[in-house]
Amino acid sequence: MIYIFLFYVKILNILQKDGDTLKTIDYQDLNFIDDEQCGFGSYGKIKRCTFDGKNYVLKVFDNSNYLNGKRRKLSLLSKVDVQGLYVPELWVKKNNHTNMYLSEFYDGKDVIFLDQEHHNVRIKYLKDIKKEILLMHEHGIIHADLISSNIMYSNGTVAIIDFDNCSYKKYRTDTRYVNDYSMDFIETYGIVPELDIFMFNLLTYLIINEESDYYMVRNNIWLKKYGKFNNKDGIKICNSMLLGDKNPNKDFLIDIIDETSVTL
């Protein structure tokens, strides 16, 4: 009997080491702030609510199959406690189905609206986002979908949200659900941390140069329109976004602001 007991203790320790499963609560226990959805996420709808005195966003997936192969990963992500990374915190069950979860609510703006801020404010927030991306990578997370709506800012803070299709531990990004720019990078270099740097550099170019069309950034670079980054280091990083180098770029475009005489 003692051997059986020790065996189960060992299994329990392994499970605890890998992280407990995410706690599940009932949909009826949520208090919604309004009846309307406040936005869209990856293949789902988002609504604001409160639970146990805390503000959350509820993400509901229209197609429960989207979560196939992702549930364990999202449960493990809930253990990552890093300020600025808004990972899933609670599963929510409704009518015996669990195709929704809660994340802490962040009351901020899409980073794309930084183009309306003063130059110094833009630089400050972009540098803070860079630090958050590096922290994310230190914890072994590759977001893989750093479009503007997944990066937010407010009152001197920044946030990265929507980790549904990230890569974490042994769980990899499902390339069927990535955006076009991410897919171009993945087809060239695979799913590596530099993917997030590439996506963030595209946004940095857009915001600092006050461009209006995200999907024209690489076309502008191909035409050698570097804007505020028209210097040796800036040009090198910009050209790396054309994905023609043997190895992926590791440098952040926002760092060029400090390293050159760029005038904004």
Side-chain angles (χ1 to χ4, degrees):
M1 288 295 292
I2 190 170
Y3 294 108
I4 295 175
F5 172 75
L6 290 174
F7 172 77
Y8 281 113
V9 169
K10 182 177 181 180
I11 293 297
L12 179 60
N13 287 337
I14 291 172
L15 291 173
Q16 289 176 336
K17 184 177 180 180
D18 196 30
D20 299 326
T21 57
L22 200 58
K23 179 182 176 181
T24 301
I25 63 171
D26 193 272
Y27 181 84
Q28 299 301 322
D29 294 329
L30 303 179
N31 296 306
F32 289 95
I33 295 174
D34 54 57
D35 293 329
E36 300 296 325
Q37 63 190 44
C38 63
F40 296 88
S42 298
Y43 305 90
K45 304 181 185 71
I46 298 171
K47 297 180 70 174
R48 284 188 60 189
C49 62
T50 62
F51 172 73
D52 199 21
K54 185 176 179 180
N55 290 320
Y56 288 99
V57 289
L58 174 71
K59 187 161 186 181
V60 185
F61 294 91
D62 299 323
N63 180 3
S64 59
N65 290 330
Y66 176 78
L67 289 174
N68 290 346
K70 300 181 178 69
R71 295 178 188 274
R72 181 62 177 159
K73 174 183 68 179
L74 297 183
S75 292
L76 293 172
L77 274 171
S78 71
K79 308 302 177 184
V80 176
D81 185 14
V82 178
Q83 186 175 1
L85 302 185
Y86 284 69
V87 297
E89 291 191 16
L90 296 162
W91 287 116
V92 178
K93 180 180 287 187
K94 182 180 181 182
N95 299 328
N96 293 321
H97 295 289
T98 308
N99 65 332
M100 57 187 82
Y101 68 75
L102 293 181
S103 290
E104 183 180 352
F105 173 66
Y106 180 82
D107 190 8
K109 295 181 181 179
D110 183 320
V111 72
I112 201 69
F113 293 109
L114 274 177
D115 64 358
Q116 301 173 5
E117 307 285 353
H118 186 274
H119 297 313
N120 291 340
V121 175
R122 281 188 239 167
I123 294 169
K124 190 268 183 190
Y125 275 119
L126 289 171
K127 287 184 178 294
D128 287 347
I129 293 166
K130 172 203 166 182
K131 293 176 184 176
E132 208 64 44
I133 291 172
L134 291 175
L135 277 174
M136 182 174 69
H137 290 167
E138 285 177 14
H139 283 77
I141 304 169
I142 301 171
H143 191 286
D145 193 29
L146 281 184
I147 56 177
S148 70
S149 58
N150 289 334
I151 308 175
M152 306 184 77
Y153 72 99
S154 177
N155 296 322
T157 66
V158 296
I160 298 177
I161 64 173
D162 200 356
F163 288 85
D164 306 331
N165 200 22
C166 72
S167 287
Y168 183 56
K169 294 186 181 291
K170 64 181 179 181
Y171 302 94
R172 305 296 284 173
T173 296
D174 189 335
T175 57
R176 293 176 299 173
Y177 301 112
V178 301
N179 64 78
D180 292 343
Y181 275 162
S182 290
M183 194 66 240
D184 287 349
F185 183 98
I186 292 169
E187 288 178 343
T188 305
Y189 301 114
I191 302 172
V192 291
E194 290 84 358
L195 167 57
D196 293 334
I197 298 173
F198 163 72
M199 295 295 291
F200 181 57
N201 281 344
L202 290 170
L203 288 172
T204 300
Y205 176 101
L206 184 79
I207 292 165
I208 293 297
N209 284 328
E210 300 180 22
E211 296 287 345
S212 59
D213 192 341
Y214 177 64
Y215 290 98
M216 287 297 290
V217 169
R218 291 206 296 169
N219 184 69
N220 288 344
I221 293 171
W222 184 76
L223 293 173
K224 302 187 184 305
K225 297 179 180 179
Y226 302 111
K228 302 296 193 300
F229 303 102
N230 192 25
N231 55 74
K232 180 180 178 181
D233 293 330
I235 290 171
K236 180 180 179 181
I237 296 175
C238 285
N239 286 340
S240 75
M241 289 187 271
L242 300 178
L243 306 179
D245 298 334
K246 181 179 179 181
N247 298 309
N249 164 68
K250 299 177 183 293
D251 297 321
F252 285 83
L253 194 56
I254 189 58
D255 289 342
I256 299 304
I257 300 299
D258 281 343
E259 296 170 359
T260 70
S261 57
V262 170
T263 302
L264 297 180

